[in-house]
């Protein structure tokens, strides 16, 4: 039926065969179709988990993006010559990419050994079909980087001229003279799923004057063939400029492209693998990024259909003219305080729901959901009839979903998304009379061949042959290329379960502090300390990991709980669970830091506490705030937070966890100090000469025979000023009958006066004298020391994206190295933005920097540093 102001009903396909395909995927005759029964239920559960984890990846991306924006002023203040990282043009120029698009690719040469198609200019239909045929037959043989660069240069020039503002106006091709309909095919997210895009072209025809295509964003990332999809689009656009348009999605963005595929990105790795002969050559990647910044934020089709990747707006009364005026030639902002930033953000990130109004979305910071009233108001105010958007797999696992009284359609074209979800894909085909059909499909890449329901009819198009090679030149680094799917659903269930379990355990690891605090507060100690009920364990996973309330708990427990984590069927040993998850996902790497450096870093943490020079009674009042003679974990945490302003809270939480203190459990002051001191003493293993360590152990043994630490300290502090001076310390040694020479006494004093101010405060005194044992028998760190080190690694892992962004800002030509001073300043810029979440103290940073400068040339290999925590 035709589009009218009040209602738009999809026109049903004429053929019964197509009619069946619209609503569900049917098993093919080979018996390898949709799984049934329990297997189907199991796969649906895994799909639910994958979707929840994918949204958590996006949440992390947005959180890190906001952090990058906060760190930007500090970076600019320290490095005025750094490029503007909100502009692909600025970053590309800093990396050496020519500002003249016509020169792109001119400095590249094609070797005689190249076996792929050669592009000629101006483009001919024969040449375009030759490229399309090559990609169908041998997609893993990449088009040479010279041709890709030339194509991108011509495309950027074309988009600059054609897309004059942030909304593009497009028409459905009119009826032909013979009465046949023209059509516009709207394609949703493809995410590198080349098999789906080739299927769509085979079904609907290649781009031409009669068949137009509108790609609704998110071509990039996840899959391995995003660049081939873009190349096909851009080549045919050279032939038919009005036949193809590409809207911008949230994945047409530099920072998210740089993330690894399993973290929601992958396009950077794909481009570097295919189109770069050395790791420092990022030219083609930056050319793609300049193209992405020119893509329209939305397209209006025939003045009636609004096509946008994400959704509508948090602000009321937004008009098409408001959107047209947005400055799009920049990276997508991730803060939404300014209206223009919020509008641009919503075009790529907003999602619909069936509740009126605008609400916060679970996707991440600043994301929204909008209701049917928002859609109705936007359409009415702008004289439109329908919104077509993409951005998410419909909950039904179909390739499309109609919402908001059928005035909004969600369209997702990548079937069996990432090999996890088992969803069908779909496109929306608009005819010349503005009727439309929604065509669903299922297209897998199976056993090394592109296949679909049309396989017997198009063997020359769908048969894939060839090995994975890189015609652009040898690579120095490896790239984890996707494995060929092992089942009709893309991946075997075993592989899916393994990957989802690893992602879940990683989430547990990076949130271990918050999980420990959540469960320890609920831990009553009955019947056994360190356990919580299964329902409380589930509540902690939901609350802290923020994966939603409808998780398939049977699958979650099967994937991440080991037998030893559940002493019985109704409770979970949460300490063991956190430890087992951490151990499962952390593996030593070639860049691992040695044990001595770890001890030095941890020792700096304790020294930071000790340098907070309180007198005895001030220290006691800080420890025991309510004066009841006992110290709670909350009292200790508050003291440590106040003791020194740059003490990272994650390390404080780690030391408390390492001391095995549960929130709400109180200790006597002397017992607490004993536990605290054991932790400090163990961290010093190897720092002092053995003779001094032996002497200090004997001093501590003698001293603590005469009462508690408080009593002994007051006895030695003869003038009562709250400090022990060297003279008072020497007199105490004599009174105990210890036969130390003056030189030995002086050496002991230097060892225990850590901050070198000529007197001992109470904490220094406690930390120097321990009647109990030192470090582990093998000299390794104790549990508390390991917890502190792990907390540092987890914090670095959590902030990988921000750190990588800082290193690239300081090293725009990607040499892999930065000066030591720049490394420190970049890290401090991150620290200054991490309010309450700082990673390292300056002293700890000094230790690590000196370690990383192994060849003492004054520069740091930041990729080696990254390998320590990735």
């Amino acid at each position: 039926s035709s589009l009218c102001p009040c209602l738009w009903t999809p026109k049903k396909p004429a053929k019964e065969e197509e009619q069946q395909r619209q609503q569900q995927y049917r098993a093919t005759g080979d018996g390898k179709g949709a799984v049934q029964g329990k297997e189907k239920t199991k796969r649906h559960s895994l799909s639910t988990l994958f979707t929840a984890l994918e949204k958590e990846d996006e949440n992390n991306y947005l959180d890190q993006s906001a952090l990058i924006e906060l760190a930007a002023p500090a970076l600019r203040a320290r490095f005025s010559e750094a490029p503007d990282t909100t502009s692909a043009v600025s970053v590309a120029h800093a990396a050496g990419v020519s500002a003249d698009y016509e020169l792109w690719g001119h400095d590249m040469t094609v070797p005689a050994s190249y076996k792929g198609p050669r592009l000629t200019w101006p483009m001919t239909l024969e040449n375009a079909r030759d490229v399309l045929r090559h990609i169908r037959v041998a997609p893993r043989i990449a088009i040479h980087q010279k041709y890709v660069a030339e194509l991108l240069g011509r495309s950027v020039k074309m988009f600059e001229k054609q897309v004059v503002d942030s909304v593009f106006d497009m028409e459905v091709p009119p009826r032909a003279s013979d009465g046949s309909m023209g059509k516009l095919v709207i394609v949703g997210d493809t995410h590198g799923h080349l098999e789906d895009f080739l299927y769509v072209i085979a079904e609907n025809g290649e781009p031409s004057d009669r068949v137009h295509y509108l790609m609704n964003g998110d071509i990039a990332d996840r899959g391995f063939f995003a660049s081939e999809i873009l190349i096909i689009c851009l080549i045919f656009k050279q032939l038919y400029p009005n036949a193809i348009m590409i809207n911008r999605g949230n994945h047409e963005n530099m920072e998210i492209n740089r993330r690894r595929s399993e973290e929601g990105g992958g396009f950077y790795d794909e481009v570097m693998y295919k189109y770069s002969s050395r790791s420092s050559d990022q030219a083609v990647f930056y050319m793609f990024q300049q193209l992405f910044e020119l893509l329209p934020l939305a397209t209006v089709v025939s003045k009636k259909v609004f096509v946008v990747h994400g959704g509508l707006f948090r602000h009321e009364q937004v008009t098409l003219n408001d959107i047209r005026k947005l400055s799009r030639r920049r990276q997508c902002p991730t803060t939404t305080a300014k209206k223009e930033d919020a509008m641009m953000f919503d075009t790529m990130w907003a999602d619909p729901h069936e509740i009126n109004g605008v609400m916060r979305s679970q996707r991440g910071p600043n994301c929204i959901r909008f209701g049917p009233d928002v859609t109705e108001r936007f359409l009415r105010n702008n004289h439109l009839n329908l919104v077509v958007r993409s951005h998410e797999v419909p909950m039904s696992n179909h390739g499309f979903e109609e919402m908001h009284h059928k005035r909004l359609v969600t369209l997702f074209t990548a079937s069996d998304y990432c090999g996890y979800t088992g969803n069908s894909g779909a496109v929306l085909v608009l005819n010349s009379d503005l009727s439309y059909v929604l065509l669903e499909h299922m297209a897998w890449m199976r056993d090394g061949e592109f296949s679909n329901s049309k396989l017997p009819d198009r063997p020359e198009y769908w048969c894939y042959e060839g090995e994975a090679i890189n015609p652009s030149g040898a690579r120095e680094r490896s790239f984890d290329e996707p494995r060929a799917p092992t089942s009709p659903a893309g991946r075997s269930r075993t592989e899916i379960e393994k990957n989802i379990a690893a992602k879940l355990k990683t989430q547990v690891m990076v949130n271990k502090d918050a999980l420990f605090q959540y469960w320890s507060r609920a831990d009553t100690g009955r019947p056994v300390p360190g356990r919580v009920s299964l329902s409380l364990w589930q509540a902690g996973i939901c609350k802290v990991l923020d994966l939603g309330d409808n998780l398939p708990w049977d699958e979650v427990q099967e994937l991440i709980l080991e037998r030893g984590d559940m002493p019985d069927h109704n409770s979970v040993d949460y300490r063991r669970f956190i430890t087992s998850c951490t151990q499962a996902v952390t593996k030593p790497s070639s860049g691992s830091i040695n044990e001595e450096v770890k001890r030095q870093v941890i020792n700096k943490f304790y020294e930071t506490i000790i340098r907070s020079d309180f007198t005895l009674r001030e220290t006691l009042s800080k420890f025991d705030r309510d004066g009841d003679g006992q110290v709670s974990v909350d009292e200790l945490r508050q003291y440590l937070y106040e003791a020194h302003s740059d003490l990272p809270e994650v390390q404080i939480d780690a030391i408390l966890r390492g001391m095995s203190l549960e929130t709400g459990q109180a200790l006597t002051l002397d017992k607490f100090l004993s536990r605290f001191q054991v932790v400090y003493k163990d961290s010093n293993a190897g720092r002092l000469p053995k003779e001094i360590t032996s002497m200090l152990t004997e001093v501590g043994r003698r001293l603590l025979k005469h009462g508690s630490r408080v009593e002994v300290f007051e006895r030695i502090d003869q003038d009562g000023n709250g400090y022990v001076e060297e003279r008072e310390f020497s007199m105490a040694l004599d009174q105990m009958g210890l036969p130390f020479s003056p030189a030995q006494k002086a050496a002991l004093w230097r060892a225990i006066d850590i901050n070198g101010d000529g007197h001992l405060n109470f904490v220094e005194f406690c930390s120097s004298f321990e009647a109990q044992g030192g470090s582990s028998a093998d000299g390794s760190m104790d549990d508390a020391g390991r917890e502190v080190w792990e907390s540092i690694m987890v914090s670095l892992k959590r902030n990988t994206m921000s750190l990588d962004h800082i290193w690239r800002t300081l090293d725009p030509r990607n040499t892999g190295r930065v000066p030591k001073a720049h490394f420190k300043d970049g890290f401090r810029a991150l620290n200054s933005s991490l309010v309450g979440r700082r990673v390292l103290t300056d002293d700890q940073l000094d230790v690590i920097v000196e370690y990383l400068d192994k060849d003492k040339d004054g520069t740091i290999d930041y990729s080696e540093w990254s390998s320590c925590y990735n």
Side-chain angles (χ1 to χ4, degrees):
S1 62
S2 297
L3 188 63
C4 66
C6 58
L7 182 65
W8 190 15
T9 305
K11 180 179 178 181
K12 298 297 182 183
K15 296 181 181 179
E16 181 180 345
E17 176 187 346
E18 290 181 344
Q19 204 169 28
Q20 293 175 344
R21 192 168 65 246
Q22 307 316 306
Q23 301 304 322
Q24 64 181 1
Y25 171 70
R26 303 264 182 205
T28 55
D30 59 8
K32 296 181 180 179
V35 290
Q36 303 295 324
K38 292 183 179 179
E39 183 68 21
K40 188 173 183 178
T41 302
K42 181 90 170 179
R43 192 160 189 108
H44 179 72
S45 296
L46 294 173
S47 172
T48 301
L49 278 173
F50 170 77
T51 301
L53 288 165
E54 185 191 33
K55 289 187 175 180
E56 180 56 30
D57 285 336
E58 291 185 330
N59 197 324
N60 174 263
Y61 163 76
L62 290 168
D63 185 60
Q64 287 289 290
S65 296
L67 186 62
I68 287 169
E69 289 198 26
L70 287 174
L75 278 176
R76 285 195 294 268
R78 289 181 170 93
F79 309 102
S80 57
E81 71 280 6
D84 176 7
T85 55
T86 65
S87 164
V89 174
S90 175
V91 175
H93 291 175
V97 178
S98 173
D100 186 345
Y101 312 135
E102 294 184 354
L103 295 180
W104 288 3
H106 283 206
D107 58 343
M108 302 173 184
T109 56
V110 181
S113 59
Y114 173 64
K115 303 298 183 183
R118 298 174 184 270
L119 274 61
T120 58
W121 310 107
M123 179 60 60
T124 64
L125 182 58
E126 181 182 1
N127 197 190
R129 285 176 170 168
D130 185 40
V131 173
L132 178 59
R133 188 177 299 109
H134 169 81
I135 290 174
R136 280 169 166 160
V137 173
R140 294 182 189 271
I141 301 178
I143 308 296
H144 193 273
Q145 65 181 33
K146 175 181 177 64
Y147 301 130
V148 175
E150 290 175 349
L151 176 63
L152 287 168
R154 291 170 177 268
S155 298
V156 166
K157 191 172 181 179
M158 179 180 288
F159 272 86
E160 265 191 338
K161 183 178 180 180
Q162 187 179 34
V163 185
V164 295
D165 55 43
S166 291
V167 178
F168 185 71
D169 294 289
M170 195 172 188
E171 299 291 329
V172 180
R175 287 180 182 269
S177 57
D178 61 1
S180 61
M181 292 275 194
K183 62 182 177 181
L184 169 67
V185 183
I186 303 178
V187 180
D189 295 33
T190 52
H191 280 299
H193 283 228
L194 179 61
E195 61 272 29
D196 288 279
F197 186 57
L198 292 177
Y199 177 89
V200 169
I201 291 177
E203 287 289 310
N204 295 282
E206 64 190 28
S208 68
D209 289 332
R210 307 295 307 138
V211 181
H212 290 188
Y213 281 82
L214 173 54
M215 309 294 292
N216 198 23
D218 277 14
I219 296 173
D221 288 333
R222 290 292 193 184
F224 191 60
F225 297 105
S227 57
E228 279 72 22
I229 296 174
L230 286 162
I231 287 168
I232 292 170
C233 291
L234 298 177
I235 281 178
F236 277 93
K237 190 168 180 64
Q238 291 294 314
L239 285 170
Y240 309 104
N242 297 319
I244 290 184
M245 183 47 63
I246 306 171
N247 278 346
R248 186 171 173 186
N250 60 303
H251 281 266
E252 277 72 52
N253 193 73
M254 270 194 295
E255 287 301 333
I256 201 166
N257 290 164
R258 287 184 178 276
R259 292 166 71 91
R260 293 186 61 79
S261 177
E262 60 268 24
E263 296 171 337
F267 186 63
Y268 173 81
D269 284 338
E270 176 190 344
V271 171
M272 291 295 288
Y273 178 79
K274 294 175 180 177
Y275 312 119
S276 175
S277 58
R278 58 188 186 277
S279 60
S280 61
D281 182 7
Q282 305 174 87
V284 175
F285 175 72
Y286 287 134
M287 292 171 189
F288 272 115
Q289 294 305 318
Q290 291 182 73
L291 172 70
F292 291 165
E293 288 188 345
L294 285 167
L295 303 180
L297 303 181
T299 296
V300 173
V301 180
S302 297
K303 298 182 175 61
K304 292 297 181 184
V305 186
F306 182 74
V307 185
V308 65
H309 176 74
L312 300 182
F313 308 94
R314 68 195 69 202
H315 294 285
E316 296 184 7
Q317 308 303 323
V318 172
T319 67
L320 289 177
N321 282 336
D322 293 332
I323 308 169
R324 291 183 194 278
K325 294 174 184 176
L326 292 176
S327 173
R328 76 187 189 282
R329 199 159 187 180
R330 55 179 174 144
Q331 294 297 287
C332 179
T334 52
T335 56
T336 54
K338 297 179 180 178
K339 182 178 179 180
E340 57 269 27
D341 289 345
M343 288 174 59
M344 184 172 178
F345 182 84
D346 291 342
T347 64
M348 298 185 226
W349 284 96
D351 293 301
H353 64 175
E354 293 292 2
I355 303 171
N356 280 343
V358 174
M359 298 173 60
R360 177 187 176 275
S361 169
Q362 189 185 347
R363 274 192 191 268
N366 299 316
C367 290
I368 62 155
R369 286 191 175 275
F370 60 94
D373 59 324
V374 176
T375 299
E376 181 182 358
R377 183 169 57 246
F378 178 80
L379 292 175
R380 182 178 65 250
N381 291 347
N382 292 283
H383 310 291
L384 300 165
N385 289 358
L386 184 74
V387 174
V388 179
R389 47 88 60 178
S390 302
H391 195 41
E392 60 185 338
V393 178
M395 290 296 292
S396 64
N397 255 17
H398 285 292
F400 69 91
E401 182 176 17
E402 295 174 302
M403 299 177 68
H404 297 182
H405 313 297
K406 295 191 175 183
R407 305 300 295 277
L408 180 145
V409 177
T410 294
L411 200 62
F412 202 89
T413 301
S415 62
D416 191 32
Y417 179 42
C418 296
Y420 286 100
T421 60
N423 65 289
S424 55
V427 295
L428 187 150
V429 181
L430 265 173
N431 295 311
S432 300
D433 61 356
L434 293 188
S435 62
Y436 74 92
V437 292
L438 288 159
L439 300 175
E440 281 192 292
H441 67 268
M442 191 61 99
W444 339 93
M445 190 169 84
R446 182 163 56 225
D447 299 328
E449 294 184 348
F450 285 125
S451 59
N452 58 79
S453 60
K454 295 289 185 179
L455 179 60
D457 300 332
R458 297 185 177 92
E460 73 278 9
Y461 283 176
W462 298 99
C463 180
Y464 152 64
E465 299 176 353
E467 299 296 327
I469 64 170
N470 177 21
S472 297
R475 296 283 303 159
E476 296 178 357
R477 64 181 182 84
S478 63
F479 178 84
D480 295 330
E481 193 172 325
R483 293 176 56 190
T486 55
S487 77
R491 298 172 188 256
S492 69
R493 202 185 83 186
T494 301
E495 184 182 1
I496 291 172
E497 289 176 346
K498 180 180 177 181
N499 292 342
I500 289 177
K503 289 177 75 72
L504 280 169
K505 290 178 179 180
T506 299
Q507 286 300 313
V508 170
M509 180 192 72
V510 300
N511 292 283
K512 61 191 297 186
D513 290 328
L515 285 168
F516 183 84
Q517 289 185 36
Y518 184 94
W519 288 322
S520 62
R521 287 193 175 102
D523 184 1
T524 62
R526 290 187 292 237
V528 179
R531 296 183 189 176
V532 291
S533 67
L534 190 58
S535 61
L536 277 172
W537 177 81
Q538 292 176 354
I541 295 291
C542 279
K543 176 73 173 177
V544 175
L545 302 192
D546 195 23
L547 298 177
D549 299 325
N550 300 314
L551 294 179
W553 286 108
D554 289 343
E555 308 300 331
V556 173
Q557 289 167 214
E558 182 180 334
L559 289 171
I560 61 176
L561 277 176
E562 297 180 356
R563 182 173 299 178
D565 296 336
M566 294 186 68
D568 54 61
H569 294 296
N570 299 314
S571 65
V572 176
D573 183 336
Y574 61 87
R575 293 179 187 170
R576 187 187 187 282
F577 165 69
I578 290 174
T579 300
S580 63
C581 285
T582 302
Q583 293 174 346
V585 297
T586 53
K587 299 176 181 178
S589 69
S590 59
S592 294
I593 292 179
N594 65 44
E595 293 298 313
E596 176 56 29
V597 174
K598 292 179 184 178
R599 286 196 195 92
Q600 291 181 34
V601 170
I602 295 165
N603 188 49
K604 292 297 181 184
F605 170 69
Y606 298 117
E607 288 182 6
T608 301
I609 300 175
I610 291 170
R611 282 201 297 268
S612 299
D613 199 345
F614 297 105
T615 64
L616 171 61
R617 300 203 180 280
E618 287 172 330
T619 300
L620 293 181
S621 69
K622 291 287 184 182
F623 281 171
D624 185 14
R625 289 174 179 270
D626 54 15
D628 63 355
Q630 296 185 323
V631 180
S632 70
V633 170
D634 288 334
E635 286 174 327
L636 174 57
R637 181 179 285 110
Q638 192 60 37
Y639 162 71
L640 293 176
Y641 284 174
E642 295 178 7
H644 204 289
S645 60
D646 74 344
L647 208 59
E649 293 182 10
V650 291
Q651 296 185 39
I652 291 173
D653 292 335
I655 197 67
L656 297 178
R657 187 171 60 250
M659 292 166 66
S660 300
L661 296 173
E662 294 81 33
T663 299
Q665 182 183 37
L667 301 171
T668 63
L669 186 60
D670 198 52
K671 186 176 181 181
F672 159 71
L673 290 172
S674 177
R675 296 180 79 164
F676 174 76
Q677 187 224 344
V678 170
V679 172
Y680 175 77
K681 181 80 172 173
D682 286 350
S683 76
N684 269 297
R687 184 179 73 86
L688 300 174
K690 289 184 178 180
E691 179 188 9
I692 298 297
T693 301
S694 177
M695 293 165 65
L696 285 174
T697 300
E698 181 60 25
V699 169
R701 188 177 293 115
R702 298 278 186 102
L703 281 172
L704 297 181
K705 282 182 180 180
H706 299 284
S708 71
R709 283 178 174 75
V710 175
E711 293 168 338
V712 171
F713 186 88
E714 289 179 335
R715 189 178 303 119
I716 297 175
D717 178 20
Q718 294 183 0
D719 58 13
N721 66 353
Y723 295 95
V724 171
E725 278 79 22
E726 184 175 6
R727 174 185 57 81
E728 293 171 328
F729 175 69
S730 179
M731 290 174 60
L733 294 180
D734 292 338
Q735 291 170 2
M736 287 185 290
L738 290 170
F740 295 152
S741 67
Q744 289 174 320
K745 290 179 182 179
L748 281 175
W749 178 257
R750 287 193 298 273
I752 62 178
D753 182 18
I754 295 176
N755 60 13
D757 59 3
H759 60 256
L760 293 181
N761 62 35
F762 183 61
V763 176
E764 284 178 305
F765 176 81
C766 292
S767 299
S768 300
F769 303 109
E770 175 55 72
Q772 300 177 13
S775 61
S776 303
D778 61 358
S780 62
M781 290 184 290
D782 69 334
D783 289 340
R786 280 190 294 272
E787 289 289 348
V788 171
W789 181 256
E790 282 183 5
S791 76
I792 293 171
M793 293 295 103
V794 167
S795 295
L796 292 168
K797 173 67 176 175
R798 184 183 292 117
N799 293 291
T800 295
M801 178 176 148
S802 297
L803 286 167
D804 287 349
H805 174 86
I806 289 171
W807 309 145
R808 288 194 305 272
T809 302
L810 304 181
D811 179 28
R813 292 186 178 269
N814 204 34
T815 65
R817 303 187 73 86
V818 293
K820 283 167 57 174
H822 288 190
F823 185 92
K824 289 183 181 181
D825 285 342
F827 209 102
R828 287 175 183 135
L830 174 68
N831 260 347
S832 67
S833 305
L834 286 166
V835 180
R837 297 181 295 164
R838 300 177 71 256
V839 179
L840 294 169
T841 68
D842 284 348
D843 287 343
Q844 290 173 325
L845 182 59
D846 287 339
V847 171
I848 288 174
V849 166
E850 291 306 315
Y851 166 75
L852 292 174
D853 185 18
K854 294 179 180 178
D855 53 9
K856 304 304 177 186
D857 67 348
T859 65
I860 301 296
D861 181 343
Y862 55 82
S863 61
E864 178 185 352
W865 165 236
S866 298
S867 71
C868 296
Y869 53 86
N870 273 326

